[in-house]
Amino acid sequence: MIGIGADGWDGLSQAARRALAAARVILGSRRQLDLLPEPGAPAEPGAPAEPGAPAEPGAAAVVVGRRIPWPSPLLPALPGLLAEHGILPVDVGARADPAPSASPAGTAGLPGGAARSPSEVSVLASGDPMFYGIGTTLVRLLGADRVRVLPHPSSVSLACARLGWAREEVDVVSAVGRPLERVRAVLADRRRLLVLSADRDTPGALADLLVDAGYPGSELTVLDRLGAADEARQWATAADWARARAGWREAGVAGVPASDPGLRPPSDLNVVAVEPRADHPSGHRARTPGLPEEVFEHDGQITKREIRALTLARLAPAPGELLWDVGSGSGSVAIEWMRSHESCRAIAVEVRADRADRIRRNAAALGVASLRVVVGRAPGALAGLPVPDAVFIGGGVTGQGVLDACWAALRGRGRLVVNAVTLEAEAVLAAWYARRGGDLVRIAVSRAGAVGGFTGWRPAMPVTQWTVWPAEHAAGRGES
């Protein structure tokens, strides 16, 4: 697994060059394959002249391996493509019953030009293959012991080097195969950000997003073709980039209208450095729970911010965990769960299609567009969903079998939090509390409001909240 930059062969280490010269098969994108020397053309000394031969001092590096561009879409085709060249995924290899053969394992019947061993297959990747790259996919398929990684400096490292930014003080968002809206979840005034672009349109789309989020004065530096001989950079505010993008679209060509502030369309290979500048406090979106109701689109079915903050504290999200938000309403609890850490996942279950659409819009607007929304009524809609780490029931707790299904789904682990505002729902919680234990609390919130010419307290409906950790319940009752 060889990382390669825009500087191509010249930027590769001797170890990477030797691996490519020894390879009988080289996989990569067409752009990456085109960065290699012409087949059979000698490049630098220090690598074998024939594929598979040991390196000798002074030997010319000849890259003659069969070059195979990635298919599209890549991921579904990847296991089969590897198998064609004698490399079986871990699960397939574990089940394989190799028959005695004079040929190396897994090579019988391979097409001409196929590799005879995994060491004779090289895969090209951009920069560091293990940073938002295909390397993680290959390791997952094949196992870490079957993949040797030779990284190149990542685009993030190169960008920080060019700008003089401390890498540990920069947030990174990839827009390659991922929603650009993720930027909204990490936006914070004066917190530096690097966005890995999907193509040449990403900088303009990012500028539009920043303007919409209340950050039009943010400074955007677009770093083009980092490491290449024609490396370039352009700087402007988000508002200027947004105007330039609109002008390019209006022109319908790559040329620049007279109204453009000196900007040129970037190449597909770019990274955007952002120094966010919020123009107004409304652009501030904390990642701690308790966002104001006004930032969500809703029809009144929303867990109020004070109750939501307490609910998320009880749910206790941790990196990588999955939440079921049953009776999701506006999706506010699931969205704030996911905003707590970029690896947190959630499934919002909502019976009404119009509310489900609203949940999706809220998720995109607040930077967690990957929120999964299931339209249907619990408990039926819960069937077949991935096992959760936590379950929140914000509506429908009185439905037959809802609590039973959620309890069973946790499989004796995780935690369950249920909010109730009606007497009927409270009765259900009281019964479960008597059977299962846990923590039952009533939460009352009052807000100041006008009372004639004075100010008084206006109470909201109290909320009864039940929290239980099934493992603690089982331990307390001697259950296994």
Side-chain angles (χ1 to χ4, degrees), residues 8-344:
W9 182 263
D10 290 342
L12 293 178
S13 67
Q14 286 297 325
R17 295 180 185 185
R18 285 194 293 269
L20 287 167
R24 295 183 181 275
V25 173
I26 304 172
L27 305 170
S29 70
R30 290 189 183 278
R31 178 185 65 80
Q32 292 159 350
L33 293 172
D34 288 343
L35 293 172
L36 301 181
E38 290 297 320
E44 297 290 334
E50 294 296 331
E56 297 180 2
V62 181
V63 182
V64 297
R66 180 184 172 201
R67 305 179 188 199
I68 302 176
W70 293 125
S72 181
L74 170 59
L75 292 182
L78 188 56
L81 182 61
L82 293 173
E84 287 179 17
H85 301 288
I87 306 175
L88 300 179
V90 172
D91 57 344
V92 175
R95 293 193 300 267
D97 183 17
S101 171
S103 302
T107 63
L110 290 178
R116 287 194 291 266
S117 73
S119 64
E120 297 176 13
V121 175
S122 286
V123 174
L124 294 176
S126 295
D128 183 352
M130 304 306 292
F131 185 72
Y132 289 110
I134 194 172
T136 54
T137 301
L138 288 176
V139 168
R140 186 169 60 248
L141 282 173
L142 305 176
D145 58 336
R146 299 174 66 200
V147 180
R148 180 186 178 205
V149 180
L150 301 174
H152 184 276
S154 70
S155 57
V156 170
S157 296
L158 292 174
C160 288
R162 301 293 189 271
L163 298 168
W165 287 6
R167 171 64 186 87
E168 68 274 11
E169 296 175 2
V170 178
D171 290 323
V172 179
V173 173
S174 175
V176 181
R178 297 169 175 84
L180 182 61
E181 286 81 7
R182 179 64 192 168
V183 169
R184 294 180 184 269
V186 300
L187 264 181
D189 194 36
R190 303 184 185 278
R191 173 68 180 180
R192 287 170 169 169
L193 173 68
L194 286 175
V195 177
L196 311 183
S197 294
D199 54 34
R200 67 185 59 198
D201 192 52
T202 300
L206 173 62
D208 286 345
L209 183 153
L210 291 168
V211 171
D212 180 68
Y215 287 77
S218 298
E219 301 172 3
L220 268 65
T221 302
V222 177
L223 301 161
D224 232 334
R225 295 184 54 77
L226 280 166
D230 59 349
E231 177 182 317
R233 73 168 73 181
Q234 300 184 79
W235 177 94
T237 65
D240 284 342
W241 273 106
R243 282 192 291 271
R245 185 194 194 206
W248 299 332
R249 284 182 163 182
E250 185 177 344
V253 295
V256 183
S259 61
D260 182 71
L263 296 172
R264 296 293 183 271
S267 74
D268 283 329
L269 199 63
N270 71 81
V271 175
V272 188
V274 185
E275 297 196 65
R277 298 289 184 269
D279 278 17
H280 191 274
S282 63
H284 180 72
R285 298 282 184 268
R287 298 185 75 173
T288 51
L291 290 173
E293 289 94 283
E294 293 75 27
V295 307
F296 297 93
E297 182 185 343
H298 64 90
D299 58 3
Q301 287 296 109
I302 183 171
T303 304
K304 301 300 188 289
R305 66 184 305 181
E306 296 86 0
I307 304 299
R308 194 180 333 120
L310 293 171
T311 299
L312 266 297
R314 293 288 192 167
L315 287 168
E321 289 192 324
L322 172 66
L323 170 74
W324 285 4
D325 182 0
V326 181
S328 191
S330 66
S332 62
V333 170
I335 288 168
E336 295 228 50
W337 167 281
M338 292 182 67
R339 283 174 59 88
S340 69
H341 192 273
E342 64 179 6
S343 66
C344 284

Side-chain angles (χ1 to χ4, degrees), residues 353-441:
D354 59 331
R355 287 179 178 163
D357 290 339
R358 196 174 289 125
I359 292 169
R360 295 186 185 97
R361 292 194 294 271
N362 283 333
L366 290 166
V368 290
S370 59
L371 171 63
R372 179 180 172 185
V373 182
V374 174
V375 182
R377 186 181 300 279
L382 307 178
L385 297 183
V387 176
D389 298 287
V391 176
F392 170 63
I393 305 177
V397 69
T398 57
Q400 185 174 4
V402 172
L403 254 176
D404 295 277
C406 292
W407 179 272
L410 287 168
R411 300 183 181 180
R413 52 186 286 279
R415 53 270 186 207
L416 172 65
V417 179
V418 188
N419 288 354
V421 295
T422 67
L423 292 174
E424 291 79 5
E426 283 188 344
V428 173
L429 296 193
W432 274 78
Y433 173 67
R435 290 169 51 203
R436 304 292 191 182
D439 195 16
L440 189 65
V441 299

Side-chain angles (χ1 to χ4, degrees), residues 453-475:
F454 298 91
T455 302
W457 293 108
R458 296 188 178 277
M461 291 183 67
V463 175
T464 300
Q465 186 176 81
W466 179 51
T467 305
V468 64
W469 293 64
E472 292 183 0
H473 161 80

